[in-house]
Amino acid sequence: ITDNIEPKLCYLQERLHLNQTQVAKIISKQPTILCMNVESKLEPNISWLQERLNLTDAQVSKIIWKLPQLLTYSTSDKMEPNLDWFQKVLKLSNSQTQKIVMRFPHILYYSVEDNMKPTLTWLKRRLLLKHNSEVATVIEKHQPLFCYSIETNLEPTLDFYSKAIGDKNRAIAMLKHDPTLFGFSLEKRLKPRLKQAKELEWDIDKGTLGRIAKYTELRWNITVGNSVNSL
């Protein structure tokens, strides 16, 4: 077993310019890598990523560090079709595609039919985006949108902001401008903080909602504390 594993560890260390600790971390995230053949699987996948996305050695190392599962997926059956669909539908340039995948490589394995197509349709319909190029602009601002559940995240979050600000169109404009606002927990952050803001009789406007969503716990508690002290 050791004779089989050791060459793979050495290969990953040399190919990705990583130290032993970093390689161990990758293996801990995706142990099945040790079952993969270097010549028929690991090197072809790394080479495909590097060539298809025009990545430097440092960039391909970074993307695999972020998502080691990429070494286990089929390039022809999964990653290539996903990337082709994504780039074609959103009319992305190679540099735009590289930027998005570097930040959020998960799109290389998400189901096009079950995840990405429905999300694309929802974004166009609910955020009033007329063209796929407008969707691309939103996705470039917040790549994880494609992984959010429509039923448990996107739809209820849009509803939250619409009701909070009292105007659906203003909420839509806010979310199009800053789609990262979709990325915060309704139950753990948005709803409790909105309740506090209302109790303190703050104006619930775009700025307040941005602070509700994005402030760290420390900064939020300081802000609330200062507001209480000023009453």
Side-chain angles (χ1 to χ4, degrees):
I1 296 176
T2 303
D3 291 342
N4 185 40
I5 292 176
E6 189 64 31
K8 294 176 184 177
L9 297 177
C10 291
Y11 162 80
L12 291 171
Q13 189 173 340
E14 293 175 8
R15 182 66 170 86
L16 301 176
H17 306 286
L18 301 173
N19 59 42
Q20 290 182 349
T21 302
Q22 290 171 318
V23 171
K25 184 67 174 178
I26 285 178
I27 298 302
S28 70
K29 291 180 181 179
Q30 189 64 36
T32 56
I33 288 173
L34 293 178
C35 301
M36 305 294 171
N37 182 274
V38 171
E39 291 77 16
S40 63
K41 188 65 178 178
L42 299 182
E43 177 57 33
N45 277 31
I46 293 173
S47 295
W48 179 85
L49 287 166
Q50 197 157 18
E51 293 168 12
R52 179 64 174 82
L53 294 168
N54 193 28
L55 302 177
T56 64
D57 286 347
Q59 286 174 320
V60 78
S61 178
K62 183 177 180 180
I63 200 172
I64 290 172
W65 172 260
K66 186 177 291 186
L67 193 66
Q69 295 95 312
L70 295 179
L71 293 178
T72 70
Y73 295 127
S74 167
T75 56
S76 59
D77 295 338
K78 191 66 178 175
M79 294 195 288
E80 182 74 54
N82 272 30
L83 197 56
D84 285 348
W85 178 87
F86 186 77
Q87 187 169 9
K88 181 179 179 180
V89 168
L90 297 184
K91 298 179 180 179
L92 299 170
S93 66
N94 288 336
S95 61
Q96 286 175 305
T97 303
Q98 183 202 80
K99 182 179 178 181
I100 290 173
V101 176
M102 281 294 299
R103 289 181 176 177
F104 194 69
H106 303 70
I107 64 166
L108 292 174
Y109 75 85
Y110 276 161
S111 169
V112 170
E113 297 298 327
D114 295 337
N115 299 110
M116 292 197 278
K117 279 186 179 180
T119 300
L120 175 68
T121 300
W122 186 90
L123 289 170
K124 290 179 71 174
R125 179 174 59 86
R126 299 294 278 130
L127 297 189
L128 307 179
L129 304 171
K130 294 181 180 180
H131 306 290
N132 286 353
S133 59
E134 293 178 282
V135 178
T137 299
V138 172
I139 294 296
E140 282 188 280
K141 292 178 180 178
H142 190 53
Q143 299 80 23
L145 276 178
F146 268 136
C147 80
Y148 294 158
S149 165
I150 293 172
E151 293 77 16
T152 63
N153 185 304
L154 297 178
E155 191 64 48
T157 301
L158 173 58
D159 184 61
F160 167 83
Y161 287 116
S162 297
K163 290 178 179 178
I165 206 168
D167 186 321
K168 185 171 75 172
N169 289 332
R170 286 173 64 197
I172 288 172
M174 182 176 68
L175 289 164
K176 284 197 290 188
H177 176 73
D178 186 6
T180 64
L181 293 170
F182 278 111
F184 300 95
S185 170
L186 280 168
E187 301 303 326
K188 294 181 180 180
R189 174 169 292 199
L190 300 181
K191 289 181 179 180
R193 288 185 176 184
L194 178 63
K195 182 180 178 182
Q196 285 181 296
K198 287 182 175 179
E199 290 171 348
L200 292 167
E201 299 182 349
W202 293 355
D203 291 332
I204 308 302
D205 55 17
K206 177 181 176 181
T208 300
L209 287 172
R211 290 187 286 275
I212 285 172
K214 295 190 173 187
Y215 273 15
T216 63
E217 282 299 311
L218 177 60
R219 191 175 183 186
W220 176 255
N221 289 335
I222 290 173
T223 302
V224 170
N226 289 340
S227 184
V228 170
N229 292 335
S230 68
L231 293 177

